[in-house]
Amino acid sequence: MSLLGKKEARFSATLLGLLFLLCTVFLHAQKFSGIIHDGVTRTRAFEAFALAGAAFVLAALVAKESASIQVLSSGNPILAVIGRHIFAFSMVIFGIQHFLYAPFIASLIPSWMPAHLFLAYATGTAFIAAGLSIATHILSRLASALLGVMFLLWFLLLHTPRVMAHPRNGDELTSAFVALAFSGASFLLAAYCSKSR
Amino acid sequence: MVKLGRIFFAIPLGVFGIQYLVLANGEAAFPQSLPGQPAGTFLLMSPGLSCSRSV
């Protein structure tokens, strides 16, 4: 509500980033072995981690609306830079996941789309390229924007039909909105990259 | 682009929040609470906590 209404949005975004970061550290990092060896555990951990990064970037983007949080996210870009690298690193991890579990990823692609395995590998390549681009600031605005479009297409073409097919399945709903959140995060990164150069 | 990003970022957060409020009924909703703590102690929004999917 705060992010949509722009009321104390900087404070909210910073707090949200810290919340996701704490969640990653205290809930997910406990299963460090799982993060290393299990793809599902790894995905869960890096989803929260990437959203933390995106929230920090958002905090840097929104207009200065609160003086009370200046210690955390004033004009200095430290949190935003950290957030950008967290997001970029997570995208590279997601990309590697697509190569490690390509057949499973391919099975999620709607049947009416052609070349499932190729799309899985292409998506993985796009993730890694976007992550490296965001981290190095080379064509980072374009990479982030395209990443946002890709996530948005996932939301519309892949997840929404699955949610409609299983309306009472909370996992499908979560997956769909994780994709939408990452779309938003990517567009925020694109805006941040264009302003921070 | 900031506006679009903020809307797409904020709406899912609201959905996750509602999901957690709806599901906040014990261990099933919070399987990863800290050791030694009762389930649901940490009312954190973390997508994927109760999910078994990879995308």
Side-chain angles (χ1 to χ4, degrees):
Chain A
M1 298 278 276
S2 170
L3 298 181
L4 286 175
K6 298 184 185 179
K7 188 168 175 63
E8 303 286 354
R10 176 172 294 216
F11 175 78
S12 300
T14 306
L15 208 59
L16 186 70
L18 291 173
L19 189 69
F20 275 124
L21 203 57
L22 288 173
C23 184
T24 306
V25 171
F26 287 109
L27 296 181
H28 295 292
Q30 287 184 98
K31 300 188 172 181
F32 188 73
S33 175
I35 292 174
I36 298 296
H37 298 108
D38 177 49
V40 175
T41 307
R42 195 181 306 131
T43 300
R44 290 173 179 171
F46 276 95
E47 279 177 354
F49 197 45
L51 289 176
F56 289 145
V57 171
L58 175 59
L61 274 173
V62 294
K64 198 184 297 182
E65 296 169 63
S66 169
S68 61
I69 198 65
Q70 284 194 350
V71 174
L72 287 175
S73 64
S74 58
N76 78 72
I78 294 173
L79 268 183
V81 171
I82 292 171
R84 180 166 64 89
H85 283 93
I86 286 174
F87 192 82
F89 182 67
S90 301
M91 292 305 117
V92 172
I93 296 295
F94 292 151
I96 294 170
Q97 296 269 83
H98 278 66
F99 284 92
L100 291 177
Y101 306 102
F104 171 71
I105 300 290
S107 73
L108 299 173
I109 297 172
S111 56
W112 57 267
M113 288 186 184
H116 289 189
L117 202 56
F118 169 78
L119 284 176
Y121 286 124
T123 307
T125 306
F127 266 127
I128 294 171
L132 293 176
S133 173
I134 292 167
T136 58
H137 241 329
I138 299 172
L139 296 174
S140 55
R141 185 176 187 272
L142 177 66
S144 304
L146 290 175
L147 193 63
V149 171
M150 185 178 80
F151 276 120
L152 187 59
L153 288 175
W154 280 15
F155 175 75
L156 296 173
L157 301 178
L158 195 157
H159 291 289
T160 301
R162 291 172 69 99
V163 170
M164 292 174 75
H166 307 93
R168 300 187 68 82
N169 187 328
D171 291 350
E172 292 291 354
L173 191 68
T174 303
S175 294
F177 280 99
V178 165
L180 187 63
F182 277 134
S183 174
S186 303
F187 288 137
L188 291 172
L189 250 298
Y192 168 77
C193 289
S194 66
K195 288 182 179 179
S196 65
R197 289 194 72 86
Chain B
M1 198 169 283
V2 179
K3 191 173 184 180
L4 196 66
R6 186 161 48 199
I7 291 170
F8 286 174
F9 191 66
I11 289 174
L13 295 176
V15 173
F16 299 149
I18 292 169
Q19 276 189 310
Y20 272 80
L21 290 174
V22 171
L23 293 173
N25 57 358
E27 185 66 31
F30 298 96
Q32 298 178 40
S33 292
L34 292 181
Q37 299 291 332
T41 300
F42 296 89
L43 199 66
L44 296 177
M45 289 185 300
S46 172
L49 264 183
S50 61
C51 296
S52 55
R53 77 287 181 276
S54 297
V55 293

